[in-house]
Coordinates of all heavy atoms in Angstrom, one line a residue:
V147 N -24.4 7.9 -3.7 CA -23.7 7.6 -2.6 C -24.1 8.4 -1.3 O -24.1 9.6 -1.4 CB -22.1 7.8 -2.8 CG1 -21.3 7.4 -1.5 CG2 -21.7 7.0 -4.0
M307 N -14.3 10.0 -7.7 CA -15.7 10.2 -7.6 C -16.4 9.5 -8.7 O -17.6 9.2 -8.5 CB -15.9 11.7 -7.5 CG -15.4 12.4 -6.2 SD -16.0 11.6 -4.7 CE -17.8 11.8 -4.9
E308 N -15.8 9.4 -9.8 CA -16.5 8.7 -11.0 C -16.6 7.2 -10.5 O -17.7 6.6 -10.8 CB -15.6 8.8 -12.2 CG -16.2 8.2 -13.4 CD -15.4 8.4 -14.8 OE1 -14.4 9.3 -14.7 OE2 -15.8 7.8 -15.8
L309 N -15.7 6.6 -9.9 CA -15.8 5.2 -9.4 C -16.9 5.1 -8.4 O -17.7 4.2 -8.5 CB -14.4 4.8 -8.8 CG -13.3 4.5 -9.8 CD1 -12.0 4.2 -9.0 CD2 -13.6 3.3 -10.7
A310 N -16.9 6.1 -7.5 CA -17.9 6.1 -6.5 C -19.3 6.2 -7.0 O -20.2 5.4 -6.6 CB -17.6 7.2 -5.5
R311 N -19.5 7.1 -8.0 CA -20.9 7.3 -8.5 C -21.3 6.1 -9.3 O -22.5 5.7 -9.4 CB -20.9 8.5 -9.4 CG -20.8 9.8 -8.7 CD -21.2 11.0 -9.6 NE -20.2 11.1 -10.7 CZ -19.1 11.8 -10.6 NH1 -18.7 12.5 -9.5 NH2 -18.2 11.9 -11.7
A312 N -20.3 5.3 -9.9 CA -20.7 4.1 -10.6 C -20.9 2.9 -9.6 O -21.2 1.8 -10.1 CB -19.5 3.8 -11.6
G313 N -20.8 3.1 -8.4 CA -21.0 2.1 -7.4 C -19.9 1.0 -7.4 O -20.1 -0.1 -6.9
K314 N -18.7 1.4 -7.7 CA -17.6 0.4 -7.7 C -16.7 0.5 -6.5 O -15.7 -0.3 -6.4 CB -16.6 0.8 -9.0 CG -17.4 0.5 -10.3 CD -16.5 0.8 -11.5 CE -17.1 0.5 -12.8 NZ -16.3 0.7 -13.9
I315 N -17.1 1.2 -5.5 CA -16.2 1.3 -4.2 C -17.1 0.8 -3.1 O -18.0 1.3 -2.7 CB -15.8 2.7 -3.9 CG1 -14.9 3.3 -5.0 CG2 -15.0 2.7 -2.7 CD1 -14.5 4.7 -4.9

Side-chain angles (χ1 to χ4, degrees):
V147 180
M307 293 307 298
E308 185 174 350
L309 288 174
R311 289 191 297 270
K314 294 183 178 181
I315 302 177

